[in-house]
Amino acid sequence: MIKETTDFIVIGSGVAGLRAAIELSRYGDVTVVTKDIPTESSTEYAQGGIAVALSDEDEVGIHYEDTLRAGDGLCREQAVRVLVEEGPELIRELISWGAEFDKEGSKLAFGLEAAHSRKRILHSKGDSTGKELERALISKVRTIPNIKRLPFAPAIDLIVENGNCFGAFVALERNPVAMLARATVLATGGTGQIYTITTNPQVATGDGASIAYRAGAVLQDLEFVQFHPTSLFLPSAPHFLLTEALRGEGGLLRNVKEERFMGKYSPDMELAPRDVVSRAILSEMQQTKSGHVYLDIRHMGEDFIRRRFPRVYSTCLRYELDITKDLIPVCPAAHYHMGGVKTDVNGRSSLHGLFAAGEVACTGVHGANRLASNSLLEGLVYGKRAGAAAFKYSVSKSEVKAMEKRVELKFLPHSIPDHDEIRGDLRRTMWQKVGIIRDERSLKEALEEFAGWRYILEKSFFTRRELELKNMIQLAMLITEAALLRQNSVGAHYREDHPQKTGDWMKHVTFVRGKAVYLED
Ligand code: FAD
Ligand code: SIN
């Protein structure tokens, strides 16, 4: 087996991974491994923008309060404070590295999204904010000679001994390579692909959380999956996101009878929290026996729509939908995972030498429900913090050298001939039984189905599709177990058989492999 040694490994090249790599490059050589081309990530597709308290009418204290309110009682307050306080400085830094945000005259322009009490969403080229962040960060990385980038290199597993992490096994052209390092930062993003309907790109298969779980790291809050209310519903099109900024600018929801309905569900109407809007849409879809509702932005006017939402406009036009004139068919879609690898506010996981940042991590900053546009900011703030801590708390060089001699590959590759079929079944079951509304019966049925695939968890694979499937099965099981355990409804987790937000359950469901499932304050 090939063995390579570097100072630091970062797994993933979205906003969190790139920001961590830039920080770590101050202290040694960094290798960024990524599963696909460097830009393929949720970050690249982020539309609405990045929330930050920088406008004249805003204050970090108000951003803090809005974040806590969205989190529905389960945010870790220290983590939220770090996010809102450090966010403004990191945005200024990003601008100094060349990131461009839209302006009104000479001042930054701020948009509004659901559950924000101020206009605080910076956006770029209207609705291409993530692409601009990715561009600016990759340009910065290119100027740093000691950052090496390794695309098409899916991480297989972590190299762990006695609770210390020494890097990762990575598949390079289907061959496993042991990449040893003093510290490893997981920044593998989210898990949306475990659901049939998702806004997430193909790379979002929950690899990081599953890999960390297998290595013995603590995972938390896995039952909290955020469903975005509005993804495009067209038989010929993928579930492209219709940004919440469309509703922030006055977009209206109508059922298939073209009646507005949000007034029946929330005084905040179209700008109610995402879980409320998603459930309202589901209810209207059921009542009208339809697979979708409509988003109506026709009243905004053609010029404004084309200027403010050029990417949404041109994408829909490709499917012969002119959003300046037509109602847009939409349905909810799996969008963001609040849970993940439990870390402190420095990105430290429960394993020495392993750090996590961005969507794969659970700092507790989002609690039970993420405030819109807080995750790009989280990637910057906690990516930087994880990078700094990964240097500070790294394993020594001599320990890595010794580990290099000991490390060996203990697994042989297998194959799963029917992996596409299993993948489809898994995604459907997650959508139907562990989706926007769950109950004990649906969750138990899902677990029974997943049990038939347990044998896959015991095997090793070196191809991306098979590695992904193994990770998807692992995470689907854990999300379902967490959802079954939590007998209340809070934030994005809605149990039809336990609709109350019972106080006893205002704790965090926590998993450690082979040891325990427990509740933590
Ligand atoms: P990502 O950006 O997803 O990057 C993950 C990286 O890890 C990728 O490079 C991937 O290839 C790599 N990877 C995954 N598995 C492996 C593996 N096994 N081995 C090696 N590499 C691996 N948030 C906002 O704040 N504002 C928005 O406007 C917004 N809009 C969104 C729109 C869409 C369509 C989507 C899907 C999400 C949106 N979000 C938004 C959420 C936000 O984009 C993500 O939460 C955030 O970008 C996650 O950043 P990340 O760095 O953690 O992960
Ligand atoms: C959107 O643009 O609606 C997505 C914003 C987010 O997920 O934070």
Side-chain angles (χ1 to χ4, degrees), residues 200-467:
N200 286 193
Q202 293 282 334
V203 289
T205 48
D207 295 2
S210 295
I211 287 172
Y213 178 72
R214 284 199 289 277
V218 173
L219 305 191
Q220 201 159 68
D221 288 348
L222 298 179
E223 65 276 33
F224 298 120
V225 177
Q226 182 173 77
F227 293 85
H228 197 290
T230 56
S231 74
L232 186 61
F233 178 90
L234 280 181
S236 57
H239 287 280
F240 177 71
L241 181 81
L242 275 308
T243 174
E244 195 155 286
L246 290 157
R247 279 174 285 128
E249 296 286 2
L252 306 174
L253 288 168
R254 299 184 186 278
N255 61 23
V256 286
K257 296 178 193 157
E258 300 194 16
E259 301 158 346
R260 281 190 75 188
F261 57 82
M262 275 313 298
K264 284 191 271 174
Y265 301 92
S266 168
D268 297 323
M269 307 292 281
E270 276 80 0
L271 290 181
R274 284 182 182 176
D275 59 301
V276 176
V277 182
S278 290
R279 283 198 300 278
I281 291 177
L282 214 60
S283 165
E284 292 295 312
M285 282 162 46
Q286 275 159 1
Q287 286 171 44
T288 57
K289 297 190 175 42
S290 171
H292 65 87
V293 296
Y294 290 117
L295 180 63
D296 184 2
I297 62 165
R298 296 170 299 181
H299 52 283
M300 291 181 196
E302 184 168 344
D303 283 354
F304 176 79
I305 293 171
R306 292 177 66 154
R307 186 167 24 87
R308 178 70 177 84
F309 301 108
R311 196 176 186 184
V312 172
Y313 172 75
S314 60
T315 304
C316 290
L317 209 54
R318 240 184 279 145
Y319 298 100
E320 293 173 18
L321 185 73
D322 181 347
I323 61 172
T324 66
K325 297 190 178 70
D326 301 327
L327 289 167
I328 314 168
V330 292
C331 70
H335 184 60
Y336 184 86
H337 199 190
M338 272 71 76
V341 181
K342 186 188 172 200
T343 70
D344 67 9
V345 288
N346 292 311
R348 291 171 82 180
S349 78
S350 57
L351 297 180
H352 184 209
L354 180 67
F355 303 79
E359 193 168 338
V360 67
C362 178
T363 57
V365 81
H366 307 302
N369 207 359
R370 176 179 63 97
L371 184 67
S373 288
N374 260 357
S375 44
L376 292 175
L377 192 68
E378 178 194 25
L380 282 180
V381 170
Y382 284 98
K384 176 178 174 172
R385 282 186 156 246
F391 163 66
K392 192 166 170 197
Y393 303 104
S394 52
V395 176
S396 72
K397 273 192 177 176
S398 57
E399 283 177 279
V400 175
K401 271 262 159 284
M403 188 64 198
E404 190 178 0
K405 295 199 183 93
R406 292 198 299 276
V407 69
E408 55 185 73
L409 199 64
K410 294 196 185 110
F411 36 84
L412 286 173
H414 289 81
S415 65
I416 318 170
D418 50 351
H419 64 79
D420 280 342
E421 198 183 322
I422 297 177
R423 199 181 179 110
D425 288 347
L426 173 98
R427 300 177 75 207
R428 256 188 308 280
T429 300
M430 284 301 284
W431 182 253
Q432 288 164 0
K433 300 190 168 161
V434 197
I436 300 170
I437 297 178
R438 304 107 185 242
D439 65 16
E440 182 177 338
R441 192 167 59 90
S442 72
L443 294 167
K444 283 190 168 161
E445 283 172 2
L447 283 175
E448 261 171 49
E449 285 181 45
F450 301 154
W453 301 320
R454 204 172 270 282
Y455 71 96
I456 292 174
L457 302 183
E458 309 307 322
K459 299 199 177 343
S460 301
F461 308 97
F462 298 161
T463 69
R464 170 173 159 183
R465 290 287 283 181
E466 288 164 320
L467 284 165

Side-chain angles (χ1 to χ4, degrees), residues 11-17 33-36 38 40-43 45-50 153-155 187-190 199-201 203 207 211 241 335-336 357-360 370 373-377:
I11 305 175
S13 56
V15 57
V33 299
T34 194
K35 193 156 73 168
D36 206 289
E40 190 59 12
S41 59
S42 290
T43 301
Y45 299 100
Q47 292 180 9
I50 182 160
T188 50
T199 61
N200 286 193
V203 289
D207 295 2
I211 287 172
L241 181 81
H335 184 60
Y336 184 86
E359 193 168 338
V360 67
R370 176 179 63 97
S373 288
N374 260 357
S375 44
L376 292 175
L377 192 68

